[in-house]
Amino acid sequence: MFNYNVRGENIEVTQAIREYAEKKVSKLERFFTDVPNATAYVNLKVYPDKTAKAEVTIPLSFLVLRAEETNPDLYASIDFVVDKLERQVRKYKTKINRKSREKGLDFALPHLDTPVKEESSDSDLEIVRSKKIELKPMDSEEAVLQMNMLGHDFFVYHDRDTDEINIVYRRKDGRYGLIETASIG
């Protein structure tokens, strides 16, 4: 069962809104049988043009679910973001199961939070945010799946075959690139 952290920006999160968001997001729990202490972070935001955005992030031990949707109706934003997350989970589970059958492997699925984001200015290269991530062995296809699940443009992973740290990324043309690393010395 998920714990919920529902917060709002430019909107007061009423009991009715909180209950609606929790009820909708709880539909995702049926996909996971063993999720102790998992927290669903729901961020609701209303913009000056009165559109509403719902963002949901659910970090689990083997993947991070994340999606966002914007709609003129706050409740519709919540509905759409949950639908999007459900499609992501189904797609991810289908691909992982298919890949398992093809290779005869029992996958150790990754647990990754969002990558480190660094901000820089012309005069100062101060790191303003830092995160530690756990890299579990996977192949490049799994890394691309995880990157897409997170909605990021790149993903760092431990390559199962080469035992090196590699990076997959989304190119400007929409295809994917791979940066392979090698240890020196």
Side-chain angles (χ1 to χ4, degrees):
M1 182 151 170
F2 293 153
N3 298 314
Y4 293 92
N5 180 344
V6 182
R7 63 186 194 95
E9 293 180 39
N10 301 327
I11 183 174
E12 179 187 345
V13 178
T14 64
Q15 188 64 26
I17 293 172
R18 180 178 310 283
E19 288 173 1
Y20 188 83
E22 289 179 6
K23 178 182 174 188
K24 288 296 184 174
V25 173
S26 72
K27 291 180 177 184
L28 299 170
E29 291 177 15
R30 72 179 187 267
F31 292 104
F32 307 101
T33 56
D34 188 24
V35 289
N37 302 319
T39 301
Y41 297 93
V42 181
N43 187 32
L44 307 171
K45 185 173 188 175
V46 176
Y47 294 102
D49 68 356
K50 302 298 182 202
T51 57
K53 180 163 125 180
E55 299 173 7
V56 177
T57 305
I58 306 171
L60 300 169
S61 61
F62 50 91
L63 78 117
V64 176
L65 291 174
R66 185 182 184 293
E68 58 185 57
E69 278 293 327
T70 304
N71 191 284
D73 179 355
L74 175 65
Y75 291 95
S77 293
I78 295 168
D79 292 344
F80 292 143
V81 79
V82 170
D83 290 346
K84 185 183 271 188
L85 286 167
E86 190 170 326
R87 285 191 305 275
Q88 285 180 2
V89 170
R90 288 178 193 273
K91 181 178 178 182
Y92 188 75
K93 282 189 155 198
T94 299
K95 286 187 178 186
I96 291 299
N97 288 337
R98 185 192 75 231
K99 194 167 185 65
S100 272
R101 285 191 305 273
E102 287 173 1
K103 293 192 174 185
L105 297 173
D106 182 22
F107 286 114
L109 297 174
H111 169 66
L112 286 175
D113 288 321
T114 54
V116 174
K117 289 191 176 184
E118 298 179 11
E119 294 181 12
S120 63
S121 66
D122 293 336
S123 63
D124 192 13
L125 294 174
E126 176 187 8
I127 295 174
V128 297
R129 185 174 179 201
S130 176
K131 276 203 172 177
K132 184 177 278 193
I133 58 175
E134 185 178 324
L135 299 177
K136 292 189 179 174
M138 65 178 71
D139 62 24
S140 59
E141 184 178 324
E142 288 174 77
V144 169
L145 287 171
Q146 184 69 31
M147 177 182 70
N148 288 336
M149 290 284 292
L150 291 169
H152 291 151
D153 295 324
F154 71 95
F155 186 82
V156 180
Y157 70 100
H158 180 184
D159 189 276
R160 155 183 313 127
D161 299 324
T162 65
D163 202 33
E164 298 289 345
I165 305 303
N166 291 346
I167 303 156
V168 292
Y169 62 95
R170 185 174 294 104
R171 297 167 37 101
K172 288 182 183 178
D173 64 8
R175 298 184 303 178
Y176 300 103
L178 170 66
I179 299 172
E180 295 179 295
T181 64
S183 299
I184 298 175

